[in-house]
Amino acid sequence: MLKKRSLQSAQKARKKNMVNLRFDEIPAQWYNILPDLPVPLPPPQDPKEGPSRLQNLPNLMIGECLKQEFSTERWIDIPGGVMDLYAKAGRPRPLFRATNLEKKLDTPARLYYKSEFFSPTGSHKVNTALAQCWYAKQQGFERVTTETGAGQWGTALSYAAALAGLKSTVFWVRSVYNWKKDRLSFMKLLGADVHASPSPITSVGKVLYDRNPEHAGSLGIAISEGLEDSQKDSKATYCLGSVLNHVLLHQTIIGLEAKRQFELFNDYPDSVISCLGGGSNFGGFALPFIADVLKKGKKIRFIAAQSEVAPNLQGKYEYDFADYAEMTPMLKMYTLGHKMDMEPIKGDGLRYHGCSPIISLLRNKGYIETIAYSRDEKHVFEMAKVFMEAEGWLPAPESAYSVCCAIEEAIKCRESGEKKAIAFNVSGHGFLDISGYRNVLGLD
Ligand SMILES: *Cc1c(COP(=O)(O)O)cnc(C)c1O
């Protein structure tokens, strides 16, 4: 048996590289930034022509999520049932100090990463999927429908639906559906009904499918299919995995945990970094820290890492639709245009034409910087490999952008001698996407 004293000395000798909370220390409320924004968030609008999308919103969305979308309450209670599901999904998730990576990079910076890869489906998306399915079940729905691009959202929703006792239907962008066989099986194991999009089973999809059965698809098209499918069935509701205010709200559990964990490390970040597609993991991680900047005068750099195939934060800040078929209201956001064709990449979760209205507003007011990496993804994945060799975790292809950006910032610190604390979010693991790495890095 290990003696008590040796246990204590082992603890003392430890170089602290991980902290976690106890389950009863998990934040019991999500943080809603809407009342704290520097100016009010421009509301969604109807287009000049056609039927009112705003009036149709209650038919598209889960009631509680719609309420949260416009709530001015700063703190919103996480229901006990959702807390139980969070426990099942492995919350809280540790904050690591990347001691090995710091050594490898020979940087004076302190690097910290949040481990959203500790997720049953591999990504942060379960944080909102569980909440949405729980609310859907409460409201009496029997089925949820959705779209997915990279496949992580589809997997997360299939998982959450299974746990909540709901059926699930997923429309999956064909260019990714075709290569992520393991994820397809994963969703089917969870009982999901999965269709490559554009599919012949919706009218939006059929037009495109008939023109070209191998149509690569896009997130915007798949959203339109998910919406249409839910509209045809009164027992079904549609769920969206990013962009909207309530999704970012649910994701703030990431940053709220991280803030408490930073206290346990007795440190505070100078830079907060994450990858950004629609903005949910970036928002979830960053918004609780942005609150400190807005209300407490803290100085933090926020950097969103993107792909040059979808650098939506460099697009136009204007009203645009969230989906291809123009079924959603128009949102004021940075956008590349909802009909934009974007080349497939391995980090496909970053390939979306618009950025969350909340993040867009903060970007417009100068709080958020952005960087867009090359479409060949070689540099990004090489940096993910550097991270993996040092820390042992394989980031999701999307998360690799966050890792890459953090490494570049750490290298700048080596050159300048600055002892900054850099926090980055690893939004998911890449265990189901290794073929993407194999393909880009030539690992055969
Ligand atoms: C979906 C996804 C993203 C991108 O979506 P956001 O809404 O911008 O977070 C990033 N990382 C992972 C692991 C994802 O699954």
Side-chain angles (χ1 to χ4, degrees), residues 122-125 150-153 241-243 247-248 275-283 349-350 396-399 426-429:
S123 85
H124 72 289
K125 292 202 171 75
Q152 281 96 311
W153 171 240
S242 186
V243 181
V247 177
L248 271 65
C275 62
L276 192 146
S280 75
N281 91 88
F282 180 89
L350 303 182
E398 294 80 10
S399 317
V426 182
S427 50
H429 69 61

Side-chain angles (χ1 to χ4, degrees), residues 179-204:
W179 71 272
K180 291 198 179 178
K181 295 285 179 231
D182 288 340
R183 265 194 193 279
L184 179 58
S185 306
F186 198 153
M187 286 184 225
K188 288 186 172 171
L189 282 167
L190 288 161
D193 191 13
V194 190
H195 305 272
S197 166
S199 81
I201 71 158
T202 66
S203 54
V204 175

